[in-house]
Amino acid sequence: MKFSPRFIFIAGRRCLALAVAAALILASIPLSFASAYNAHPKLIVVIVIDQFRGDYLERYRNQFGEGGFRLFLAHGANFTDCNYDYANTRTAPGHATLFTGAYSNGHGIVANEWWDPKKRKMVTSVEDDDVKPVGIGSDQTKGDQNKGDQNKGDQTSGKAGASPHNLLADTLGDELKLATQGVSRVFSLSLKDRAAILPGGFAADAAYWIDSKSGAWITSTYYRPDLPQWAQDFNTSNRAAKYWDRDWEANGKLFRSTKHRKGKDGSDAGFYEVVGSTPFANEYEFEFAKELVVYENLGAGQATDLLAISLSPNDILGHQVGPDSPEMAAMALALDHELADFFNFLGHRVGLANMWIALSADHGISALPDAAKKLRIPAANLDAGRIEGRINSALAAKFSPGHAASYIKLDYPVAWLDQDAFIAVHMKEHDAETAVGEAMKQVGLRDYYTKSQLSEGEVPASALGKKFLNSYSPEGGWYVLGVPEIYTVGSSKGTDHASPYTYDTHVPLAFYGLPFRPGTYRTHAEPVDLAATLASLLGINAPTHAVGRVLTEALAPPHHAEDPAEFPREGAPK
């Protein structure tokens, strides 16, 4: 007997509903105290949606189906007032923050990329010359993966590998590994290398990301000398091919096509560039995640396992069309279906009653400046390359008249200083950074904070000052963090993040699992609270530099199986 796709879909939804109901029934039964040491829960899954603003869950709530986002909204603990308390709202710092429970002044990841004074070039947050890429596509161009964050300068050919070597703090996964003496398994994956590597931390069994051209899944020798056989089989079966030459349609409207095309440089555009901005790429990530769960046998060991999944397509698309476009709404609803399917898979494979699931994002996004201007809100698209030129010209006129020089690289709103250029004109760090900051104000930034200023804690006793203090890192040579005007981005079209304002800092934070009291919580929360809360529930140490709080208001009281009131000792009074 053959079943229609609609019948299968409805049946799958009903199975998920039954699984959720079973989990809720179990939640009413007294449980023994959860502990990573005895595989309670069997598996933790943390889902990070790249560039998913905190207001999206409410915006699309009435359009969500059963089993996807509603798993958190109807059956989980949902914190609606979750904001990053720092200014450098980028992908790499966001992922590091979520899993270390610290901000950049604790984990050291200040940006997606920064100026390396020794190499005299921009390097990525995870670039590591001491390791090599592993898997198909070892000549990947990592520059494509920075397009989603409006970054430039990272156009290396990919001979270097990638690792978490720049982290200055450990992660939830690292503490889980330490607590269980390596028995727990920790894996992470994303389309982007930084979004896979930083969540996994130092001790992850593996982190996987894609070759931007082919879409094949790769890793680095930091984790293992070659891909496991199941991942090799995944790549050699060319699973990426089915996502090419497809139309993305919703409600009868054609949004995008993944037909093969040429890139800006005239070469064939790759998987990341073409497929990455469509819901097909989320489907592709979940397809790989399911294989990983099955072949690595996650959730079946003697201690709790951890899987981190960072979904990149929302970010790639959002930079192009903004948060209020029909495409972003369609992307969110398509992701809702993909989440429902993945949770259904996990329910059958591991059992939702045996799992905890967390949801968050690495940052938000500004409205399209043109959309804000139509409402008479101050906003602007800037040309960061032109601004960089103006700043360098002003500095050259002041410090080396008649001699053009490149004093800074601008990743708006951050200026990375070439300290050798300033040393050549006999300037020390403090003076050089101050001069750059003043030049940045002359070209339109509202204010600035220098690295030397932040290292001494010399900031105003204000909410904004604290955000910039939390953004400090000793990494990256000399730099200046600019304060942009509201709804002002460094790209000449589209939009961006990297500001201290709520549209960039406000993200979801939600939990599903037996320890969590279902409900909507409007108490203040921060992404650093995710690692602290999960570590406390697991009975392990929080990550080394964690500053988050345990979200006790959303936790059910634990029941100890060895409670003497329940199991009196022989001879004890009853």
Side-chain angles (χ1 to χ4, degrees), residues 391-449:
I391 294 173
N392 277 320
S393 294
L395 294 169
K398 187 173 183 179
F399 301 119
S400 55
H403 300 281
S406 178
Y407 286 95
I408 68 152
K409 294 287 185 182
L410 185 67
D411 178 14
Y412 188 91
V414 182
W416 303 100
L417 280 63
D418 182 345
Q419 57 198 64
D420 289 345
F422 284 100
I423 291 172
V425 294
H426 311 292
M427 292 194 71
K428 295 182 179 180
E429 179 181 359
H430 177 276
D431 296 333
E433 289 172 348
T434 300
V436 170
E438 291 300 317
M440 292 169 74
K441 288 180 69 174
Q442 292 300 313
V443 298
L445 281 102
R446 177 175 290 188
D447 204 347
Y448 65 88
Y449 291 85

Side-chain angles (χ1 to χ4, degrees), residues 88 92 98 112 138 167 181 193 199 207 270 275 298 338-339 408 493 503:
N88 50 324
L98 281 164
N112 291 334
S138 60
L167 272 174
Q181 299 181 347
D193 53 5
V275 181
L298 293 189
E338 289 301 321
L339 286 171
I408 68 152
K493 60 181 180 179
Y503 51 77

Side-chain angles (χ1 to χ4, degrees), residues 47 49 52 56-57 60-61 64-76 78 311 314 331-340 343 359-360 508 510:
I47 293 176
I49 309 175
F52 198 81
Y56 287 177
L57 288 181
Y60 305 121
R61 175 191 286 263
F64 292 143
E66 293 298 324
F69 287 113
R70 284 191 184 278
L71 188 72
F72 303 101
L73 296 175
H75 306 292
N78 176 32
L311 301 166
N314 212 73
M331 176 71 87
L333 297 179
L335 178 54
D336 183 49
H337 289 294
E338 289 301 321
L339 286 171
F343 295 155
L359 173 74
S360 194

